[in-house]
Amino acid sequence: MPISAADTALPRDVPTDLLIGGRWRPAKSGQRLTVSDPATEQALAQVADGSAEDAKEALSAAARAFFAFRKTSAYQRSAWLRTWFEAIRRERHNLARLITLENGKPLTEALAEVDYAASFVEWFSEEGKRAYGRTIPATGTSRRLLAIRQPVGVVAAITPWNFPAAMITRKVAPALAAGCTVLLKPASLTPLTALALARLWQEAGGPDGSLNVVTSTKAAAIVDAWMADFRVRKVTFTGSTPIGQDLIKKSAAQVQRLSLELGGQAPFVVFDDADLERTIAALLVSKFRNGGQSCVASNRMLVQRTILPAFISRATAAVSALRIGHGLEPGVELGPLIDQAGRTKVLSHIKDALAKGAQLKSGGQALEGAGFFVQPTVLTDVGPGMLVMEEETFGPVVAISAFDTEEEGVALANASPFGLAAYAFTESASRAWRVAEALEYGIVGLNEGLPSTAQAPFGGWKLSGIGREGASEGLDAFLEEKYIAWGGIDG
Ligand code: NAP
């Protein structure tokens, strides 16, 4: 059943202003940015469009709040985070609806994202209590040596649109658990979820200034204002590799700590002894979650030649059966791409592959009418030199290529400057170990299409980033070490 305007109406109380020092207010300039539904191209809301001036005020609020927040106990922060977690779970449906409306993903996926986002808040509400230091044996008897861990300071968090809730909680929850105060600049395409989450943090008792949100279309001006100031001690960014590289350069001036979760180009390697049914199920989730717009989305399907025909026919049948439409429509499995630029990129990858000899098995076209939809697509005879093999496609395209031996499959998988996630499918335990150890990636899914989870370290090798999120490493990223030498002890 088609979606009506009433279905897509936003609740009246969705926040649309900046959150600075515990106060909601419009941008100083009075400017507003328009948030649209990518499935209808209709405007959803007008949100404050902050400037460098707003960013600086937010920074001063975060720096002021840090003096008190750093002194709160880990147990107090844990209690606030636990209350925030419970509020997110309680508001699960409202948050998921917001995600679907501003991002386009199907509601079932948006609900899964809210659960995933909440899982980081829960995990770090617990992990924050375990920011242990250590004692170190001294050389003599008159000294005691200790190393303690303390919050790094004010954190600037910059997040993308593809997971409007989870990319925020994966940074903000550990930063708050560590005792840092946060400046958040969410993606300008999906600011509503960020603002709704911030309000829940406030309602959970989060102190004024502990979480500040500056929504803006002037990303570079906001982030430059933060990074030019020594009071920002940590920058945590999820987004594209070119912007991440730019932030590495900008961090030099104030020697800010950096965590970068950047782009991927994930290989999906299928060996001749794989369980094909399980492999195709993993393909659908790793490729079509968020319409292929995920940093860990499988991008290059490398299939051992002996099982290539069987894999192609099963993959084509499964992909062409996917139901495409507005994410709020029941039963929809594939939503639109985020915007026109995203759709143009995906269509250009398909066109480039076909011009260079690939075969189209299914899809390949944009849908007519409103919304940035592209049909779920299967391409075969894909090879080196095609954009689908060299760049992150970020769309619903299964690009299949063949290999003969295990060594060749692994070599092809590693032939990328990116190193975020890789997937391998085999029923042989020995091969699984060999391949997992040989893959030059930060995350390996073995017979698994959805490896991410709050308690495991998530992050990339090579051009895919620096640092880890989730797990105990996710907390370490917001802690500084301090060595204390205590002398003059008698006895
Ligand atoms: P993006 O263009 O790099 O944007 C990410 C964030 O950076 C947004 O908030 C954006 O603001 C902001 N930004 C844009 N220009 C900036 C600048 N000059 N200085 C500072 N910040 C700036 O990436 P995206 O298109 O939103 O997200 C897709 C990319 O993120 C893909 O490459 C994907 O693989 C990657 N990603 C990686 C992970 C991971 O964990 N490794 C997870 C998810 C996504 P505006 O929204 O206003 O442009």
Side-chain angles (χ1 to χ4, degrees), residues 19 79 95 131 144 219 229-230 232 239 304 324 326 337 358 371 380 389 485:
L19 176 60
L95 288 166
R144 298 293 180 270
D229 195 308
F230 74 93
V232 171
Q304 201 153 12
I324 189 166
H326 195 293
L337 296 171
T380 61
M389 290 295 271

Side-chain angles (χ1 to χ4, degrees), residues 158-162 167 170 185-189 216-217 219-220 223 237-241 243 246-247 250 261-264 294-295 392 394 420 458 464:
I158 302 131
T159 55
W161 46 263
N162 60 351
M167 295 305 97
R170 202 162 78 171
K185 197 219 78 64
S188 50
L189 292 166
S216 178
T217 51
V223 177
F237 170 79
T238 296
S240 57
T241 295
I243 307 279
D246 194 35
L247 298 186
K250 286 181 178 158
E261 295 287 352
L262 308 178
S294 151
C295 52
E392 203 176 20
F394 242 48
L420 186 57
F458 184 105
S464 292

Side-chain angles (χ1 to χ4, degrees), residues 27-265:
K28 282 257 163 73
S29 65
Q31 288 178 359
R32 299 224 150 233
L33 63 90
T34 302
V35 185
S36 302
D37 178 345
T40 62
E41 300 177 49
Q42 297 297 310
L44 291 168
Q46 304 287 321
V47 168
D49 190 356
S51 65
E53 198 187 351
D54 298 304
K56 286 179 190 164
E57 194 179 315
L59 168 52
S60 293
R64 264 194 312 277
F66 180 60
F67 287 109
F69 195 62
R70 70 196 294 191
K71 291 186 190 148
T72 55
S73 73
Y75 278 72
Q76 170 64 77
R77 297 193 296 271
S78 166
W80 283 321
L81 285 165
R82 182 80 208 176
T83 311
W84 192 27
F85 162 70
E86 282 158 6
I88 294 171
R89 298 283 298 175
R90 192 189 62 233
E91 290 295 314
R92 182 172 182 260
H93 279 273
N94 291 333
L95 288 166
R97 206 168 156 277
L98 267 189
I99 292 174
T100 294
L101 285 171
E102 64 179 354
N103 164 283
K105 68 181 66 177
L107 188 63
T108 45
E109 280 189 38
L111 286 163
E113 184 187 339
V114 175
D115 294 343
Y116 180 53
S119 74
F120 287 101
V121 180
E122 183 181 40
W123 168 263
F124 286 109
S125 76
E126 293 156 358
E127 199 60 13
K129 298 174 190 167
R130 291 185 267 279
Y132 302 131
R134 64 200 160 121
T135 57
I136 302 156
T139 323
T141 55
S142 65
R143 295 208 302 172
R144 298 293 180 270
L145 314 182
L146 305 96
I148 63 168
R149 297 201 295 161
Q150 293 184 297
V152 62
V154 175
V155 170
I158 302 131
T159 55
W161 46 263
N162 60 351
F163 290 89
M167 295 305 97
I168 290 174
T169 56
R170 202 162 78 171
K171 297 179 184 308
V172 171
L176 294 168
C180 299
T181 54
V182 180
L183 299 161
L184 171 65
K185 197 219 78 64
S188 50
L189 292 166
T190 57
L192 296 169
T193 309
L195 295 168
L197 283 171
R199 187 161 67 191
L200 293 179
W201 167 250
Q202 208 178 22
E203 287 170 8
D208 291 351
S210 54
L211 174 59
N212 305 275
V213 188
V214 179
T215 49
S216 178
T217 51
K218 307 164 199 71
I222 303 299
V223 177
D224 286 358
W226 289 342
M227 292 188 78
D229 195 308
F230 74 93
R231 292 174 297 173
V232 171
R233 295 311 325 143
K234 166 92 193 185
V235 177
T236 172
F237 170 79
T238 296
S240 57
T241 295
I243 307 279
Q245 289 165 322
D246 194 35
L247 298 186
I248 293 174
K249 291 185 202 140
K250 286 181 178 158
S251 69
Q254 304 297 343
V255 195
Q256 277 133 344
R257 274 72 181 130
L258 274 183
S259 292
L260 302 174
E261 295 287 352
L262 308 178
Q265 231 274 33

